[in-house]
């Protein structure tokens, strides 16, 4: 198979894969918030109003649901990325330089995953844009339109 054709086929699928990435990231983040607020998934609930954990749980639940649904994705992802950077530097960085040393792997990955969504948008399969045809280009998308073939 020609590598240019493979590249074109993969590029045409970017909005769908980005949408799936957004959905998985949203589910994982929403579950973090639910665990923090309601004490589910083998975690003890944070007391109401406890700084910063309860407030982080509210942001995780709300922003995770918005990202999951693809509604207000860039704003929710920006806030989520920021709180994960805050969590990393205030709760984990003091215990070591690298995420594997300090237990901050999840906040680091969430931070960078949400930052990706800030710049690339929600992809397809979301409430804001619905399902787009492969190769179509939503307004403001950094992805180039698929070129017509002769």
């Amino acid at each position: 198979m020609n590598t240019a054709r493979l590249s074109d086929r993969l590029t045409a699928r970017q909005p769908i894969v980005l949408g799936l990435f957004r959905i998985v990231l949203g589910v994982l983040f929403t579950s973090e918030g639910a665990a923090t607020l309601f004490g589910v998934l083998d975690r003890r609930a944070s007391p109401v109003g406890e700084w910063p954990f309860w407030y982080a749980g509210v942001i995780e639940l709300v922003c995770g649901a918005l990202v999951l649904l693809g509604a207000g994705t860039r704003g929710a992802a920006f806030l989520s990325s920021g709180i994960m950077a805050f969590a990393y530097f205030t709760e984990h960085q003091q215990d070591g330089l690298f995420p594997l040393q300090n237990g901050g792997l999840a906040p680091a990955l969430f931070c960078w995953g949400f930052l990706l969504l800030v710049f690339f948008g929600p992809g397809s399969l979301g409430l804001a844009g619905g399902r787009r045809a492969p190769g179509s280009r939503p307004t403001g998308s950094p992805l180039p339109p698929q070129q017509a073939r002769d």
Side-chain angles (χ1 to χ4, degrees), residues 80-112:
S80 299
S81 180
I83 68 158
M84 288 294 98
F86 176 83
Y88 183 79
F89 288 112
T90 61
E91 296 295 321
H92 299 279
Q93 185 67 44
Q94 62 201 5
D95 296 330
L97 179 63
F98 296 105
L100 288 176
Q101 290 176 307
N102 62 31
L105 188 59
L109 289 172
F110 274 128
C111 179
W112 287 102

